[in-house]
Amino acid sequence: MVKAHELRDLSKEELLKQLQERRKELSELHVAKVTDGAASKIAKIKSVRKSIARILTVHNQQQKEGIRKAVAGAKYIPKDLRSKKTRAMRRALSKAERTKKTHKQRRMAAAFPKVKYAVKA
């Protein structure tokens, strides 16, 4: 069983090498399962699959982080690196756009300011 924090210290080549080893081990375990191998080997299949998933996860995270560094400061960010949010949130007006007023709104606000009333206590 490999730990994710241990995998993060490895280079890309070492990760891919480990991935290849785990996949080979998994195929051997599948063969053992078919040929009525030991119960311990059959039980090990789950942990090997989880290890493969961890290696792939760390590899993908490292790749994505590398791409993030490469496009930092660029005008456009690749779609898979943009924040997901919801469709409505992505299309919503920004704070600056929300507070902007049209020429007519500004003119009306100047002509008819809000009336302030003082309430006598």
Side-chain angles (χ1 to χ4, degrees):
M1 185 77 99
V2 291
K3 302 277 186 202
H5 68 89
E6 294 167 359
L7 292 172
R8 291 186 204 289
D9 300 332
L10 302 177
S11 68
K12 180 184 173 184
E13 291 76 27
E14 291 169 326
L15 274 176
L16 294 175
K17 185 180 173 200
Q18 270 204 3
L19 180 64
Q20 198 173 18
E21 290 170 7
R22 297 280 185 230
R23 283 188 169 152
K24 186 178 180 192
E25 184 181 355
L26 184 64
S27 66
E28 289 169 3
L29 291 172
H30 280 307
V31 169
K33 181 182 176 185
V34 171
T35 58
D36 296 328
S40 61
K41 281 193 170 185
I42 294 169
K44 198 176 175 189
I45 290 175
K46 183 178 177 181
S47 66
V48 172
R49 287 179 65 220
K50 300 282 183 186
S51 296
I52 289 171
R54 280 193 190 93
I55 293 167
L56 285 171
T57 300
V58 170
H59 180 256
N60 289 336
Q61 285 174 345
Q62 286 178 352
Q63 272 192 323
K64 220 166 200 180
E65 194 56 42
I67 294 169
R68 274 188 209 283
K69 286 178 184 173
V71 298
K75 186 174 181 182
Y76 297 111
I77 300 170
K79 284 194 174 177
D80 60 331
L81 298 181
R82 295 177 194 172
S83 56
K84 179 77 170 122
K85 297 182 182 173
T86 62
R87 192 168 191 264
M89 285 174 77
R90 289 193 304 268
R91 281 155 179 73
L93 295 174
S94 68
K95 179 102 171 97
E97 290 169 335
R98 264 181 294 184
T99 56
K100 272 191 170 177
K101 291 187 173 190
T102 63
H103 176 68
K104 187 173 184 177
Q105 284 174 321
R106 285 195 303 271
R107 200 178 66 218
M108 291 296 284
F112 304 103
K114 285 261 188 200
V115 181
K116 294 177 187 167
Y117 295 98
V119 179
K120 193 173 184 181

